Amino acid sequence: MHTHILFEHPLNEKMRTWLRVEFLLQQLTVRLPLSDHADALHFFRNVGDLLDVFERGDTRTELLKELERQQRKLRAWSEVDGVDLNRIESLRQQLKESSNILMAAPRIGQLLREDRLIALVRQRLSIPGGCCSFDLPTLHMWLHLPQEQRDAQVAVWLESLDPLKATLHLILDLIRNAAPFRHQTSLNGFYQDNGEDADLLRLKLMLRDRLYPQISGHKSRFAIRFLPLDSENGIVPERLDFELACC
């Protein structure tokens, strides 16, 4: 069985932000339950990174705009002959519901931003070793509380991100499924094409080739250069087959 690796590359700033937020949300649950310093610091570092992303732009407004854009696309699709109207109506309802929930929710990240423990840990994360017990006795104490208490606190923090998580999942799912994978071939490790107003490039490469893509471009035009993982001895074949979806 041949193993493929999926690479995704954003073609605009909003998609770059959303993929980073998705990655950070996934990282938040990787080390649960928080039972020691290593698990806790992994969690708090990702919470801090998420808050940094939220502070750089208005994530909620961008997501609401995208929900509206996806609804417009579905309205256009509903006029195409032979399309599954029930499926389109179901998706439109999901988008509408998601929009209502997101608008009614508190400001994204507000509960995390106001939490004293998160704020204390966040201040110390940039200092090498700055979260050890004498620097952060609060965290040291918190890690000695009963596990159920910590689990309950983490559940409250994560629940505050549910409206964002559900909306982002819906939007990224629609974008990722907007285009099929197509067989392509690069020549001498290079490939370029028109993006046709795409938001996201998705590439499938064979693990056995030990190659990764270096992508540059934007929604209307992009270029891919394939580079060997072993930069000194790796070989890029003259013709390389790969799968590409412009979503």
Side-chain angles (χ1 to χ4, degrees), residues 159-174:
E159 200 177 301
S160 74
L161 295 169
D162 280 350
L164 163 71
K165 201 171 179 178
T167 302
L168 191 62
H169 177 76
L170 178 59
I171 285 172
L172 291 180
D173 202 40
L174 281 169

Side-chain angles (χ1 to χ4, degrees), residues 137-161:
T138 322
L139 177 63
H140 188 62
M141 177 77 201
W142 188 75
L143 285 167
H144 281 81
L145 295 177
Q147 185 68 53
E148 317 82 75
Q149 259 182 270
R150 288 199 302 281
D151 291 349
Q153 179 63 74
V154 169
V156 169
W157 288 334
L158 292 178
E159 200 177 301
S160 74
L161 295 169

Side-chain angles (χ1 to χ4, degrees), residues 13 22 111 115 160 162 214 228 242 246:
E13 196 53 42
E22 179 189 48
L111 183 137
D115 188 274
S160 74
D162 280 350
Q214 191 177 70
F242 65 100
C246 294

